[in-house]
């Protein structure tokens, strides 16, 4: 029993020694692991494999939270990845662990300067100068300190200009500030407001977009950006930005109210475009009219709605006068709108104003000379103009170019009865009636024959004797009359032609 007691006593006394050995062994393994991660991280960083390098420095920091070099290397990778916000806490940790590490303090001061945190940046630069820096570090610190002082004065001047509503001067001053303080969200927001007041909305949007990323939980920047896009007529971008606002704060009153408006308008525009794709033009017009009622105060949406209504009316082809009017309203605001110029040209063709159509196509061609539709439209308008100066079968029957077959036959029957040569006794009047009657018959035949009508609509007269196709048709349908040297039922002698109204 005594011997066992002595053995146990010896073991108890040996335990602290064992624990020290285990701890030493663990620390050695741990230290070796951290060194390996640091070495691998450096190699990967030099090779430009930043994501892999970052993983190793993460592991080094986790393995030894007091290794200031691990934090410094990780900060270096963050900066290479453009993540300055993540680099700042690591540099702060380096300075905490090793206050005399001037390179880290100089680097942090530089980042703070870029973020527009001038007081904090100046503190770092002054501390560098007090800490026995190298000649290079001293020169850099003095230069950055001087730059920070200049920015401080310039910021004060910019605020004065802004408060005096001298937005042009303020924007110019902010340009200089942002050249140095590239990540300063506050300066960008102020310059965005200057641009807004100056009417340079897209420049304002660019600054607000940057500010929304530079400042955490920046709901106001998202709201301003959304309303800015909305007023510029970009409903989709507006909807995207207001959704970002609501992700940060679902109860944001301004964003939620704006979201409902944008969502409604966006849905109407998407529905209208679907109707256009489905060739449901009358419904598309109604939907775009609803868009103008939903948002009557933003000129861009009114213009968009009118542009699409113009297009729908032209495609429908039943309201050429209205189409010309709506297209013209768009072109008053946007005279270089090529699509609307093409649409109005087609509306003019439908309205038989060929010279006006040609003018619009010429204007469109100057803006886009490689557009095939413009070339084809121009050729069509010129043919129709030339044709209209000769014989126009639509005018002969008194119908529109969009008239259906029933309307054409109805007009034909009425005019054929009116101008039938049997109705006239006077030789001169009978001769005039015969010519008129032939024109009416030709017009009916061309316009009720889909193939011939299509040719006529594209500027080719199927009845033109100079056209081989026209000659073939004369011979086939009339057996040599009219316009040929063959049989003429209206020749000399008593006229007993029986007219069949079909």
């Amino acid at each position: 029993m005594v011997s066992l007691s002595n053995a146990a006593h010896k073991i108890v006394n040996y335990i602290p020694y064992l624990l020290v050995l285990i701890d030493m062994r663990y620390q050695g393994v741990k230290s070796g692991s951290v060194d390996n991660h640091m070495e691998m991280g450096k190699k990967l960083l030099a090779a430009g494999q930043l994501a892999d390098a970052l993983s190793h420095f993460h592991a080094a920091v986790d393995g030894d939270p007091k290794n200031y070099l691990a934090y410094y290397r990780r900060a270096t990778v963050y900066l290479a990845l453009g993540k300055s916000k993540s680099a700042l806490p690591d540099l702060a940790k380096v300075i905490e662990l090793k206050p005399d590490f001037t390179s880290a303090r100089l680097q942090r001061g530089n980042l703070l300067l870029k973020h527009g945190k001038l007081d904090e940046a100046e503190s770092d630069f002054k501390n560098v100068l007090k800490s026995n820096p190298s000649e290079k570090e001293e020169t850099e610190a003095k230069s950055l300190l001087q730059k920070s002082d200049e920015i401080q004065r310039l910021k004060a001047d910019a605020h004065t200009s802004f408060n005096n509503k001298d937005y042009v001067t303020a924007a110019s001053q902010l340009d200089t500030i942002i050249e140095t303080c590239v990540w300063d969200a506050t300066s960008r927001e102020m310059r965005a407001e200057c641009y807004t007041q100056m009417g340079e909305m897209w420049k304002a949007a660019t600054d607000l977009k940057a500010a929304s990323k530079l400042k955490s939980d920046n709901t106001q920047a998202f709201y301003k950006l959304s309303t800015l896009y909305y007023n510029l007529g970009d409903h989709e971008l507006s909807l995207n930005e207001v959704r970002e606002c609501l992700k940060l704060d679902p109860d944001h009153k301004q964003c939620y109210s704006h979201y409902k408006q944008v969502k409604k308008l966006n849905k109407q525009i998407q529905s209208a475009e679907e109707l256009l794709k489905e060739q449901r033009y009358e419904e598309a017009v109604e939907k775009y009219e609803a868009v103008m009622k939903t948002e009557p105060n933003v000129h861009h949406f009114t213009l968009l709605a009118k542009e699409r209504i113009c297009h729908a009316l032209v495609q429908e082809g039943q309201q050429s006068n209205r189409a010309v009017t709506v297209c013209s309203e768009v072109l008053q605001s946007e005279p270089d709108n090529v699509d609307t110029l093409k649409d109005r040209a087609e509306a003019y063709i439908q309205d038989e104003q060929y010279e006006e159509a040609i003018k619009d196509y010429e204007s469109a061609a100057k803006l886009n000379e490689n557009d095939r539709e413009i070339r084809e439209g121009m050729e069509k308008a010129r043919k129709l103009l030339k044709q209209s100066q000769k014989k126009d079968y639509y005018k002969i029957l008194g119908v529109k170019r969009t008239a259906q077959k029933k309307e054409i036959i109805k007009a034909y029957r009425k005019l054929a009865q009116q101008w039938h040569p049997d109705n006239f006794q006077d030789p001169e009047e009978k001769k005039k009636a015969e010519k008129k009657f032939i024109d009416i018959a030709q017009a009916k035949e061309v316009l009720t024959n889909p193939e011939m009508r299509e040719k006529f609509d594209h500027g080719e007269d199927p009845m033109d004797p100079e056209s081989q196709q026209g000659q073939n048709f004369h011979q086939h349908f009339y057996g040599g009359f009219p316009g040929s040297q063959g049989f003429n039922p209206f020749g000399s002698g008593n006229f007993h032609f029986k007219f069949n109204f079909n």
Side-chain angles (χ1 to χ4, degrees):
M1 293 292 295
V2 173
S3 62
L4 285 173
S5 178
N6 289 336
H9 183 72
K10 289 180 180 179
I11 290 171
V12 170
N13 289 335
Y14 191 66
I15 287 173
Y17 179 66
L18 285 174
L19 290 173
V20 170
L21 286 174
I22 291 169
D23 185 60
M24 288 175 66
R25 178 67 58 87
Y26 171 74
Q27 291 294 338
V29 171
K30 182 178 173 184
S31 176
S33 177
V34 169
D35 289 342
N36 288 338
H37 283 304
M38 288 291 287
E39 191 61 32
M40 283 300 298
K42 286 165 61 179
K43 288 179 179 178
L44 290 165
L45 176 59
Q49 298 178 38
L50 302 181
D52 292 333
L54 189 61
S55 296
H56 281 285
F57 291 131
H58 280 323
V61 168
D62 291 340
D64 185 2
K66 293 186 178 180
N67 187 329
Y68 73 92
L69 279 176
Y71 288 103
Y72 186 71
R73 297 294 185 195
R74 189 168 71 174
T76 303
V77 178
Y78 278 137
L79 290 173
L81 289 167
K83 297 180 177 181
S84 63
K85 282 184 181 179
S86 299
L88 279 170
D90 274 0
L91 290 171
K93 189 67 177 178
V94 173
I95 294 165
E96 178 191 323
L97 293 170
K98 190 172 177 58
D100 62 344
F101 194 168
T102 53
S103 292
R105 196 178 287 277
L106 193 58
Q107 201 164 49
R108 185 177 71 170
N110 202 353
L111 286 181
L112 291 167
L113 177 61
K114 289 180 178 180
H115 279 281
K117 297 178 179 180
L118 303 179
D119 291 338
E120 295 173 60
E122 287 183 5
S123 176
D124 272 343
F125 300 143
K126 288 175 181 176
N127 278 319
V128 168
L129 294 174
K130 292 176 185 176
S131 62
N132 193 28
S134 67
E135 185 178 343
K136 181 181 178 182
E137 289 171 337
E138 182 180 3
T139 301
E140 186 178 354
K142 284 181 178 179
S143 174
L144 290 171
L145 187 60
Q146 183 180 353
K147 174 63 73 175
S148 182
D149 287 340
E150 291 173 4
I151 297 296
Q152 287 275 28
R153 289 192 296 272
L154 200 54
K155 272 198 168 187
D157 292 342
H159 277 83
T160 300
S161 300
F162 185 85
N163 292 332
N164 291 334
K165 298 184 178 181
D166 184 359
Y167 300 113
V168 174
T169 301
S172 177
Q173 291 163 336
L174 288 162
D175 286 344
T176 306
I177 293 167
I178 292 169
E179 282 177 9
T180 299
C181 306
V182 290
W183 300 319
D184 182 1
T186 304
S187 292
R188 286 188 180 274
E189 287 174 339
M190 182 182 285
R191 189 170 69 175
E193 184 59 30
C194 289
Y195 284 142
T196 300
Q197 296 296 330
M198 293 159 62
E200 297 188 43
M201 300 303 185
W202 286 108
K203 286 185 177 180
T206 301
D207 270 344
L208 284 173
K209 187 70 176 176
S212 71
K213 293 179 178 179
L214 291 168
K215 194 186 291 184
S216 300
D217 297 338
N218 199 346
T219 54
Q220 201 59 23
F222 283 119
Y223 171 69
K224 285 183 177 179
L225 190 57
S226 179
T227 54
L228 192 59
Y229 282 138
Y230 186 80
N231 290 324
L232 286 168
D234 198 323
H235 53 96
E236 291 180 340
L237 282 177
S238 179
L239 191 60
N240 290 341
E241 299 303 331
V242 78
R243 280 174 174 159
E244 291 299 318
C245 174
L246 291 173
K247 283 180 187 177
L248 296 172
D249 182 3
D251 298 322
H252 195 290
K253 290 183 179 179
Q254 288 176 308
C255 285
Y256 184 66
S257 175
H258 185 59
Y259 169 73
K260 289 193 294 184
Q261 174 75 359
V262 183
K263 187 179 179 183
K264 179 181 178 181
L265 188 76
N266 188 61
K267 187 176 180 180
Q268 287 177 324
I269 292 173
Q270 287 181 341
S271 296
E273 287 302 308
E274 284 299 317
L275 290 168
L276 282 174
K277 286 180 183 177
E278 295 168 9
Q279 299 183 7
R280 294 158 64 183
Y281 300 118
E282 188 175 343
E283 293 172 75
V285 168
E286 291 175 2
K287 188 64 72 174
Y288 268 118
E289 287 172 341
V291 167
M292 288 192 285
K293 290 178 182 176
T294 297
E295 185 45 85
N297 300 318
V298 178
H299 176 67
H300 292 284
F301 290 122
T302 301
L303 205 61
L304 168 67
K306 288 184 176 180
E307 180 182 347
R308 303 308 282 157
I309 288 171
C310 153
H311 181 70
L313 290 171
V314 170
Q315 294 302 309
E316 184 187 29
Q318 298 297 319
Q319 303 180 63
S320 57
N321 284 334
R322 185 186 174 194
V324 167
T325 300
V326 177
C327 294
S328 297
E329 289 173 2
V330 175
L331 290 167
Q332 283 177 358
S333 297
E334 295 183 344
D336 293 341
N337 188 322
V338 175
D339 289 334
T340 304
L341 280 168
K342 291 193 292 185
D343 280 333
R344 189 173 70 172
E346 184 58 33
Y348 275 135
I349 287 175
Q350 292 172 3
D351 205 41
E352 301 178 13
Q353 299 185 56
Y354 307 121
E355 291 180 352
E356 295 302 318
I358 292 169
K359 288 178 184 177
D360 274 354
Y361 278 128
E362 286 174 343
S363 298
K366 289 177 183 176
L367 298 166
N368 189 354
E369 59 183 16
N370 296 320
D371 191 314
R372 179 178 56 81
E373 288 183 358
I374 294 173
R375 292 197 301 271
E376 290 177 354
M378 179 89 75
E379 183 180 351
K380 175 183 172 182
R382 284 172 174 163
K383 281 184 177 180
L384 289 169
L385 175 62
K386 184 177 179 181
Q387 185 184 88
S388 69
Q389 293 167 345
K390 295 180 179 179
K391 185 182 290 186
D392 189 330
Y393 296 122
Y394 290 103
K395 285 184 178 179
I396 289 170
L397 294 182
V399 296
K400 291 185 176 181
R401 300 190 73 85
T402 55
Q404 301 297 312
K405 187 173 181 179
K406 286 183 180 180
E407 298 174 65
I408 293 168
I409 291 174
K410 183 179 178 181
Y412 158 68
R413 286 173 176 170
K414 182 180 178 181
L415 289 169
Q417 288 177 330
Q418 178 184 345
W419 290 97
H420 196 289
D422 280 349
N423 296 333
F424 300 89
Q425 301 302 319
D426 182 80
E428 287 299 321
E429 289 183 356
K430 185 183 286 288
K431 187 177 180 180
K432 179 182 176 183
E434 287 175 5
K435 185 179 183 306
K436 189 79 173 176
F437 187 81
I438 291 170
D439 287 344
I440 294 166
Q442 286 181 332
K444 176 256 185 183
E445 197 60 33
V446 170
L447 300 184
T448 56
N449 181 306
E451 184 180 347
M452 295 176 71
R453 183 175 180 177
E454 184 180 0
K455 290 178 180 177
F456 182 75
D457 285 344
H458 284 83
E460 179 183 336
D461 186 354
M463 293 295 186
D464 188 347
E466 295 178 5
S467 167
Q468 184 62 40
Q469 291 170 315
Q471 289 175 13
N472 290 341
F473 178 79
H474 277 288
Q475 292 166 4
H476 171 73
F477 179 71
Y478 288 102
F481 103 98
S484 73
Q485 301 300 317
F487 171 73
N488 184 350
F490 303 139
S492 58
N494 294 331
F495 179 77
H496 299 292
F497 180 72
K498 298 282 186 180
F499 188 80
N500 186 18
F501 298 103
N502 53 27

